[in-house]
Amino acid sequence: MEGHQRNLYLYERLNARVAGVSRDQVDTLKYWAEDLGLSFPVFSNSIGHIGIWFETLEAGYPMFSRKTVIIDKWGVIRYMQAGHPDYRAILTLLKQLHEEEATR
Amino acid sequence: MKRAVWESRSSGLLAALCTALLLAACAPAATNVADPLAQMRQPDGAVVWQQEYRFVPPPAPWQLIDLDEDDYSIACMKLCSEGYPCQSTLAYAEEPFGYSLDFEERQAEFFKRFLWASRVTFAPPELRKVTVLGQDGLEAVTVGTEPVLRHKVRCKILFARRGERVVAFYFTQWRSEEKSFDPADEADFDRFAASFGFLQPSFYERLFPQAP
């Protein structure tokens, strides 16, 4: 999350927006986002259906595992990567999508 | 007769060899240790690191360490003979804690996270405008205390710019509360930072060549 916050000005330059999703309650996320100084939205999905859709809800474990998903402006999933975010791969793809966007 | 001469000579050679081995055992250990950076070492002593950075590493007993994490790009550690917590570290970080591109805001964000897991409380840092990597930078010096273990840590952070991004050099020196800090290690850090340079544009500079 801190890496995304650090790159926020670059995401804006590439016409991209970032949001986080977690199973934590709203109050927990609010405290956590304030403590980290995050300025992008972090959504609470305590029921967990988003985790089921994106296959980040492992059986027997109550939290989402980490996954980065990039969805283009036409609603197409263009990137899904589990684990620690690869910020350079994310920025490279966002730049490519931004260039595609200009030509469509 | 020949045999006797050979035996005499061979035992003389053996004695000389033993003497040489004994003398070698008395030599400082550093002279026997192979330079771990030898393959990256340039004729002037500087090291070329991943075709990206060029720097003069601090002398032994400083050791390059692999932290297996993303917080540091390059890091070295020096342990004291008296053991824990007496140690110093120096590092270059491409992605220092915090977010802001403004140095003063960044240092405030930085100290909220730096050494967080060590439960350190920092005194307000002394800030000074300096030149780092040939450009305007910011030096932040502070001492943190860990009240449970009664340890203290002196920190010097140099915030610098690579393209539009903020990068940083870290120095930490841990001591027990009653021990004094050793300025020699900090001088090694200053030389390391002063020697540092980039051999190519960063990932961000290549991605956004028109960026300010």
Side-chain angles (χ1 to χ4, degrees):
Chain A
M1 290 296 180
E2 289 171 290
H4 290 308
Q5 182 68 34
R6 196 174 298 135
N7 289 339
L8 212 54
Y9 74 105
L10 298 177
Y11 297 163
E12 285 169 10
R13 198 178 282 172
L14 296 170
N15 197 27
R17 302 291 177 268
V18 61
V21 184
S22 160
R23 289 198 80 178
D24 288 308
Q25 300 291 333
V26 171
D27 286 344
T28 306
L29 288 177
K30 197 174 171 186
Y31 174 84
W32 182 71
E34 281 176 9
D35 190 53
L36 281 180
L38 304 181
S39 60
F40 56 85
V42 182
F43 298 110
S44 168
N45 180 229
S46 52
I47 297 171
H49 59 277
I50 293 177
I52 296 169
W53 292 346
F54 289 101
E55 297 181 337
T56 63
L57 199 54
E58 293 170 23
Y61 189 69
M63 309 306 289
F64 295 155
S65 55
R66 294 182 83 175
K67 186 170 272 188
T68 305
V69 180
I70 297 178
I71 304 170
D72 70 16
K73 68 181 290 186
W74 296 278
V76 178
I77 294 173
R78 301 291 293 266
Y79 177 93
M80 282 217 290
Q81 183 69 46
H84 186 75
D86 182 343
Y87 296 108
R88 294 186 176 197
I90 292 166
L91 283 165
T92 303
L93 179 60
L94 290 179
K95 187 181 183 193
Q96 181 196 318
L97 293 179
H98 188 50
E99 287 165 355
E100 278 180 23
E101 197 181 302
T103 59
R104 283 177 74 163
Chain B
M1 187 66 176
K2 269 187 177 178
R3 181 184 169 87
V5 169
W6 166 241
E7 279 176 351
S8 169
R9 281 181 185 163
S10 63
S11 55
L13 281 170
L14 189 64
L17 183 64
C18 288
T19 308
L21 285 173
L22 284 170
L23 288 173
C26 297
T31 58
N32 291 335
V33 175
D35 179 2
L37 301 169
Q39 292 192 328
M40 294 177 270
R41 188 83 68 174
Q42 304 299 296
D44 64 356
V47 161
V48 170
W49 184 264
Q50 296 174 350
Q51 304 306 313
E52 178 119 9
Y53 313 119
R54 187 177 195 283
F55 57 92
V56 177
W62 284 96
Q63 285 188 316
L64 198 68
I65 50 172
D66 180 6
L67 293 167
D68 193 28
E69 57 182 62
D70 296 331
D71 292 340
Y72 306 92
S73 304
I74 297 163
C76 296
M77 177 181 275
K78 181 181 173 185
L79 298 171
C80 313
S81 54
E82 64 190 78
Y84 181 81
C86 186
Q87 62 183 45
S88 298
T89 59
L90 60 81
Y92 167 74
E94 194 87 350
E95 306 279 356
F97 297 120
Y99 319 118
S100 178
L101 297 179
D102 176 83
F103 288 140
E104 300 230 359
E105 288 178 20
R106 187 62 169 264
Q107 66 82 24
E109 294 164 349
F110 178 89
F111 282 108
K112 279 185 72 178
R113 287 283 280 112
F114 189 54
L115 300 182
W116 175 82
S118 299
R119 305 181 304 277
V120 168
T121 305
F122 288 110
E126 290 177 22
L127 305 179
R128 190 166 67 101
K129 289 183 178 172
V130 291
T131 300
V132 193
L133 299 169
Q135 299 184 72
D136 289 344
L138 182 72
E139 177 190 277
V141 177
T142 184
V143 173
T145 52
E146 200 291 278
V148 177
L149 298 172
R150 299 169 67 104
H151 295 165
K152 63 182 181 181
V153 57
R154 178 175 167 83
C155 304
K156 183 193 270 189
I157 313 298
L158 299 174
F159 295 93
R161 214 167 284 286
R162 186 180 189 192
E164 63 180 333
R165 303 280 283 192
V166 172
V167 296
F169 296 92
Y170 303 172
F171 170 74
T172 63
Q173 188 172 64
W174 287 90
R175 291 288 185 272
S176 297
E177 196 177 59
E178 72 283 2
K179 300 274 185 177
S180 55
F181 291 115
D182 177 5
D185 291 355
E186 195 168 322
D188 285 341
F189 166 72
D190 290 336
R191 279 189 287 274
F192 167 75
S195 75
F196 208 89
F198 304 114
L199 297 174
Q200 58 175 310
S202 71
F203 165 79
Y204 301 99
E205 289 171 301
R206 294 194 299 274
L207 196 67
F208 299 102
Q210 307 303 324

